[in-house]
Amino acid sequence: MSFKLSGLKYQNDDKPPLLPLILYGLQWFLIAIPNIIITSVVVGGIENLSPAEVILYNQKLFAVAGIGFILQILFGHKLPLVLGPATVLLIGLITSQTSDASEIQTAMIVGSVLIFLLSYTKLMFYLQKLFTSRVIIVILALIAVTIMPSILQLIFDGSKGNLFPLAFTPILVLALLIANKFLRGIWKSTVVLWGILIGSICYDIVLGIAPTLPSINSVSGQSLFISKFQLNPGIILSFLFCYIALFINEIGSIQAVGATINEKNLEARSKKGLRFTGLLNALSGALGVVGPVDYSLSPGVIMSTGCASRYTLLPTGIALILCAFFPSAIEFLTLIPKPIMGMVLLYLMMTQLASAFQLMSQKKAAMDFDSCMIISVPLMIAMVAVFMPAQLTAAIPPILRPLLANGFVIGIVAVLIMEHIIYRKKRHSNQQA
């Protein structure tokens, strides 16, 4: 028995008409860009990049993400999954920032090749059995939990005691909820798009901000790809842990979204998805940027729009590639206030969490106290990792930080232990997702 979101206008393999296709694609595009822009800003701080170098870094990220969307939708997992930079790889960069750039790039390529090769092993068959209904529920909820620090950072970015973001957040989120409830047709489908547009205008007007494009000079004399391969066993080992976390993240995302929209052959989809994720990360390593991974936030977006068509992400991929060739377009996208990005993400995570609760009800996955513990304990453990003080995170050995400081990964590991070891006797009553 598989779970299926109710009230969907378009299923996974449906092809919407041109106008809805473009509008849905634009909405996915606006959802995808915050992680790309935020990642480039973080990397810029780690590597002390100039504004021009940050834009170039963004161009590479946009290009890889755009190529990734198209490849995954047409040839990979073929699911409506949002793709973006893997934040877990930032930990590898942080722990290796004093090393030579070619050593870091080589380590990223080695880890990517490992992911690619794993997709050809029988390991996928055994992993398929691990992702039961309760595991899927926890994964869906984990996305909302683990992304909260990023949402808070966005909402209160640069507020410096200004309470307006705190007051405006419930207003915008409530407006999005009301609009999603009462609007119909294409208007309902573009609620997030209008929320970003109108929210940005209101935010700038109230705070008296006049958006201006930064003056950025082009970067010259910089090699596009890796100049040489240089092996450093310590850095490679550190990044291997990062890619183990990325592996778990990718599998969890495919399984969660695939089960949620009632798609079959998830083992084959996982293999193909991992295959292309490995190739895309190898390309990213050669370009010297953070590689991509699929996110599980799609169910929330699907619930709010009523569209699960994978083809709506093709315009997103095309738009991302086009942006990579036009630095001025990327500069323009940076004008969207970060607090507005955070507020819209908060709304999407509300619908994401609602999809987890709906799945819990449909699958009758929490019928007794033990079943509820399987769901609640991993979420609480993940919160410990997510909201751990920065000084404690820094105290974790660098080689283990990609795993122990990643709330999403540690939450998945915890639910697998709860479901298949501690409460193994409950497995006979838990249908495969």
Side-chain angles (χ1 to χ4, degrees):
M1 178 179 177
S2 296
F3 170 70
K4 186 177 182 179
L5 289 176
S6 59
L8 287 181
K9 187 176 181 180
Y10 299 107
Q11 300 295 332
N12 183 55
D13 293 321
D14 293 341
K15 297 180 180 179
L18 183 59
L19 180 59
L21 183 73
I22 294 174
L23 290 175
Y24 283 125
L26 179 59
Q27 185 164 275
W28 283 115
F29 172 76
L30 291 173
I31 291 169
I33 59 174
N35 281 316
I36 297 177
I37 293 174
I38 292 168
T39 299
S40 65
V41 171
V42 173
V43 173
I46 295 173
E47 300 184 355
N48 296 316
L49 302 180
S50 68
E53 289 173 328
V54 170
I55 292 296
L56 178 60
Y57 197 94
N58 258 317
Q59 288 178 263
K60 295 178 182 180
L61 288 179
F62 271 77
V64 172
I67 294 170
F69 269 106
I70 295 172
L71 290 178
Q72 290 286 21
I73 293 303
L74 295 180
F75 310 107
H77 51 60
K78 299 181 181 179
L79 293 171
L81 276 161
V82 178
L83 178 146
T87 53
V88 67
L89 298 181
L90 293 176
I91 300 175
L93 286 179
I94 293 171
T95 57
S96 309
Q97 56 184 306
T98 58
S99 304
D100 187 273
S102 59
E103 293 179 344
I104 296 175
Q105 290 177 270
T106 302
M108 294 172 71
I109 293 174
V110 170
S112 304
V113 171
L114 173 64
I115 295 292
F116 178 80
L117 294 177
L118 281 176
S119 68
Y120 286 95
T121 67
K122 293 184 178 180
L123 179 63
M124 302 304 306
F125 174 77
Y126 300 104
L127 286 174
Q128 177 74 19
K129 295 182 178 180
L130 297 179
F131 289 89
T132 60
S133 300
R134 281 188 284 266
V135 174
I136 298 297
I137 290 167
V138 171
I139 292 173
L140 291 174
L142 277 172
I143 296 299
V145 170
T146 55
I147 203 173
M148 275 308 298
S150 298
I151 290 176
L152 293 174
Q153 184 178 358
L154 285 171
I155 291 177
F156 299 105
D157 178 75
S159 59
K160 297 180 180 178
N162 188 339
L163 296 180
F164 177 72
L166 181 62
F168 192 58
T169 298
I171 294 174
L172 181 59
V173 171
L174 185 61
L176 290 170
L177 290 170
I178 294 173
N180 185 66
K181 174 69 176 177
F182 293 104
L183 293 180
R184 294 292 181 267
I186 198 66
W187 296 103
K188 180 184 178 72
S189 304
T190 55
V191 164
V192 172
L193 174 60
W194 289 109
I196 292 175
L197 179 61
I198 297 175
S200 298
I201 294 173
C202 292
Y203 186 85
D204 288 340
I205 289 176
V206 172
L207 293 184
I209 299 174
T212 56
L213 289 173
S215 177
I216 295 176
N217 299 318
S218 61
V219 178
S220 59
Q222 188 177 99
S223 176
L224 187 62
F225 291 98
I226 184 173
S227 57
K228 61 178 179 178
F229 289 92
Q230 193 166 335
L231 297 175
N232 183 316
I235 295 177
I236 290 176
L237 183 60
S238 177
F239 268 97
L240 283 181
F241 276 91
C242 293
Y243 280 99
I244 291 173
L246 185 146
F247 174 86
I248 297 173
N249 194 331
E250 178 71 17
I251 293 297
S253 298
I254 294 173
Q255 294 286 330
V257 173
T260 300
I261 62 174
N262 196 28
E263 287 302 312
K264 309 298 182 183
N265 302 319
L266 291 186
E267 180 185 348
R269 292 179 186 273
S270 297
K271 285 183 177 181
K272 291 181 179 179
L274 268 180
R275 207 160 293 162
F276 280 100
T277 296
L279 291 175
L280 290 166
N281 272 270
L283 173 62
S284 299
L287 289 169
V289 298
V290 173
V293 72
D294 286 300
Y295 303 144
S296 300
L297 55 82
S298 297
V301 182
I302 292 169
M303 283 190 68
S304 66
T305 62
C307 177
S309 171
R310 60 187 168 102
Y311 293 103
T312 58
L313 280 82
L314 290 178
T316 303
I318 295 171
L320 289 169
I321 293 174
L322 289 175
C323 283
F325 290 99
F326 297 96
S328 58
I330 296 176
E331 294 174 41
F332 179 78
L333 291 172
T334 61
L335 295 180
I336 300 174
K338 290 182 182 179
I340 299 301
M341 291 184 186
M343 295 171 198
V344 171
L345 281 175
L346 179 63
Y347 162 75
L348 291 174
M349 288 306 100
M350 291 176 179
T351 58
Q352 172 85 11
L353 199 56
S355 68
F357 292 150
Q358 186 178 6
L359 175 55
M360 191 187 307
S361 174
Q362 291 281 340
K363 297 292 289 183
K364 296 180 172 58
M367 300 299 292
D368 53 32
F369 184 78
D370 287 351
S371 299
C372 292
M373 287 291 286
I374 293 174
I375 296 171
S376 64
V377 170
L379 294 178
M380 296 303 294
I381 291 176
M383 287 184 192
V384 172
V386 168
F387 296 102
M388 186 187 305
Q391 59 268 29
L392 291 182
T393 302
I396 299 175
I399 197 171
L400 297 177
R401 204 173 298 162
L403 298 177
L404 300 183
N406 188 311
F408 184 79
V409 172
I410 204 170
I412 292 179
V413 172
V415 71
L416 292 175
I417 292 174
M418 293 287 290
E419 174 78 350
H420 298 288
I421 298 178
I422 298 178
Y423 291 102
R424 189 175 181 180
K425 63 180 181 179
K426 308 297 292 185
R427 287 181 62 185
H428 70 276
S429 64
N430 191 18
Q431 302 257 354
Q432 290 286 336

